[in-house]
């Protein structure tokens, strides 16, 4: 397994520095074994990191776009060389399978460097005609300038990929960054920061501080931070939004995504998608299918297919290539999964498969007879459960799909273009997939949620918009003035 070679915990102004706060142990959720520790940063050290990022911004924003794109391309290659090492660290820290961690690194993280380099090279401003004066001499130019210091605060489930999006896009645009990773995944964060160091990004352009919630809170509260990109739970996101105030911010929060299976759906395809939607990463995805709505006329056949596929899933060691589901990352996730299952069963739902757990390892569970008054139907579970809800009409399915406070990702399965369009139009979710799992991500499409699932969108040009300030510059190119005094109207 990978070892940390950096000489400290925090990375500030281009130097690895011992954290100045409490030491936090990092445990492997599969074995309970301590695999390392990091020292948290106090507010003082967070302030130093922001000050270094602000100092670096003054020169970094003036570098040519070609230079920034070239550094991103170099980092892309270094990242690919280090995929195995970083993936193994992710698997050890958060319990996802090595295969999933590798896909996070190869398909997401490393690619962000390449895509950000392409996006900034092709990014265009605008020249507008004057719409106030009847002249052709007035020109209005619209440019987007890097916003400044970006605070990136990330969760543990995609511990590197999620943070890489704002950091890499920010750097490509001329911003600088301070990153506070999850307390459950600080070691893979250190390895990833080494990629920037190896690629030759200037000192202070990327900074890393560790710690629990208070370190993240100190970072957001720092007035030197110009933009906040936060990914995590709704409860924390609401606190971050209040503190971020008027600054640019993107909030990527929780979900309770519905997968809706209509009467004419391809059942095998819908069942495969439900397996991916409910059980990928043991259900610990913001885009997980947290509810599976199935038309009553096909529910029996759908359940039979889903149960057969669920029975084939293997729970176990994330380092075993045969494993489909590793352990749940934290005791809190296990506790919430148990609470939601117990509540549902007490209110009349039936467990058709799974339902048990061995320590942090939870069986993939199929739960039938779920209704709106159950916690599992309203809150984010984040565990490996497929809660099945029956419905009889499109209107009923749409009402159920929209009834929670969340609105991140939905999926609908149908062969009818008309029905697909109706659902796509009516679902209040930031993404609606037709005949594709909720856990499908397009890395160049806008990603984000409606309602309490967040604010703003990330990836590609949407990330560019979030991390830049739009400025108009107007020119009056008339060769001589009016000569009749100032225009006061
Ligand atoms: P949390 O909200 O608990 O934590 C997210 C990050 O915020 C962590 O780094 C955490 O530190 C930090 N933090 C905690 N308190 C504060 C604070 N007051 N101010 C600033 N930062 C703070 O989420 P989880 O880590 O448990 O992640 C799971 C959640 O993330 C789920 O709800 C999931 O749906 C959501 N998520 C959303 C995604 C999206 O794109 N919409 C993608 C992935 C996950 P620490 O870890 O030390 O507590």
């Amino acid at each position: 397994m990978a070892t940390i070679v950096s000489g400290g915990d925090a990375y500030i102004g281009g130097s690895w520095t011992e954290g100045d706060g409490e030491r936090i142990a990092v445990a492997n959720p599969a074995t309970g074994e301590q695999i390392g520790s990091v020292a948290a940063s106090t507010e003082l050290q967070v302030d130093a990191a922001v000050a270094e990022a602000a100092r670096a911004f003054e020169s970094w924003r003036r570098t040519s776009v070609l230079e920034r794109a070239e550094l991103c391309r170099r980092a892309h290659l270094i990242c690919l060389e280090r995929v195995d090492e970083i993936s193994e660290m992710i698997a050890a820290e958060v319990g996802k399978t090595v295969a999933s961690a590798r896909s996070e690194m190869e398909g997401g993280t490393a690619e962000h460097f390449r895509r950000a380099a392409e996006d900034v090279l092709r990014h265009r401003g605008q020249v507008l005609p004057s719409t106030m004066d009847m002249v052709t001499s007035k020109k209005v130019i619209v440019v987007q300038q890097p916003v400044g210091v970006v605070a990136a605060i990330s969760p543990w489930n995609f511990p590197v990929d999620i943070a890489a999006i704002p950091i890499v896009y920010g750097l490509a645009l001329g911003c600088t960054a301070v990153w506070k990773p999850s307390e459950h995944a600080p070691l893979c964060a250190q390895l990833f920061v080494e990629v920037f160091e190896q690629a030759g990004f200037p000192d202070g352009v990327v900074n890393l501080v560790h710690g629990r919630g208070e370190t993240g809170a100190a970072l957001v509260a720092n007035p030197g931070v110009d933009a906040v990109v936060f990914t995590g739970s709704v409860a924390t996101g609401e606190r971050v939004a209040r503190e971020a105030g008027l600054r640019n911010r993107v909030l990527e929060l929780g979900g309770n995504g519905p997968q809706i299976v209509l009467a004419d759906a391809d059942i095998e395809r819908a069942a495969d998608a439900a397996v991916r939607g409910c059980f990928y990463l043991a259900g610990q995805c913001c885009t997980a299918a947290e509810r599976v709505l199935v038309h009553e006329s096909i529910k029996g056949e759908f359940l039979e297919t889903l149960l057969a596929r669920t029975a084939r899933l293997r729970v176990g060691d994330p380092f075993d290539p045969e494993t489909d589901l590793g352990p749940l990352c934290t005791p809190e996730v296990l506790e919430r999964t148990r609470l939601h299952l117990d509540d549902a069963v007490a209110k009349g739902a039936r467990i058709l498969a799974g339902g048990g757990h061995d320590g942090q390892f939870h069986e993939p569970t199929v739960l039938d007879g779920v209704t709106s008054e159950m916690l599992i139907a309203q809150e984010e579970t984040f565990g490996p459960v497929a809660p099945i809800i029956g419905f009889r009409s499109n209107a009923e399915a749409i009402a159920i799909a929209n009834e929670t406070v969340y609105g991140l990702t939905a999926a609908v399965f149908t062969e009818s273009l008309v029905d697909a369009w109706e659902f796509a139009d009516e679902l209040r979710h930031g993404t609606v997939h037709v005949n594709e799992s909720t856990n499908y991500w397009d890395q160049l499409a806008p990603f984000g949620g409606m309602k309490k699932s967040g604010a703003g969108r990330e990836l590609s040009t949407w990330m560019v918009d979030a991390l830049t300030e739009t400025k108009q510059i107007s020119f009056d190119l008339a060769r001589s003035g009016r000569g009749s005094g100032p225009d006061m109207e």
Side-chain angles (χ1 to χ4, degrees), residues 60 62-77 110-123 168-175 196 199-202 205:
W60 181 243
R62 294 186 168 87
T63 53
S64 79
V65 69
L66 280 177
E67 185 178 340
R68 284 181 260 125
E70 180 51 31
L71 279 169
C72 285
R73 283 194 217 100
R74 212 182 290 165
H76 167 71
L77 297 176
E111 283 298 303
H112 297 314
F113 286 107
R114 211 155 56 118
R115 292 181 180 124
E118 289 168 3
D119 272 330
V120 293
L121 287 179
R122 284 169 181 73
H123 191 63
V168 172
Y169 269 89
L171 265 53
L173 288 162
C175 299
F196 294 91
F201 281 90
V205 161

Side-chain angles (χ1 to χ4, degrees), residues 154-156 180 183 212 230 232-233 236 252-254 286 380 447:
S154 51
W156 47 263
K180 205 300 275 178
E183 70 182 85
R212 304 185 201 274
F230 170 85
S233 61
T236 315
E252 298 287 353
L253 311 180
C286 54
E380 183 182 50
F447 183 81

Side-chain angles (χ1 to χ4, degrees), residues 16 26 43 57 89 104 146 160 163-164 166 170 203 221 252 281 300 320 346-348 459 464 468 486 488:
W16 289 98
V26 184
E43 192 177 334
F57 176 64
M89 186 60 87
E104 170 178 349
V160 178
D203 293 350
E252 298 287 353
L281 194 45
D320 181 343
K347 290 174 180 160
L459 292 169
V464 172
T468 53
M488 300 298 282

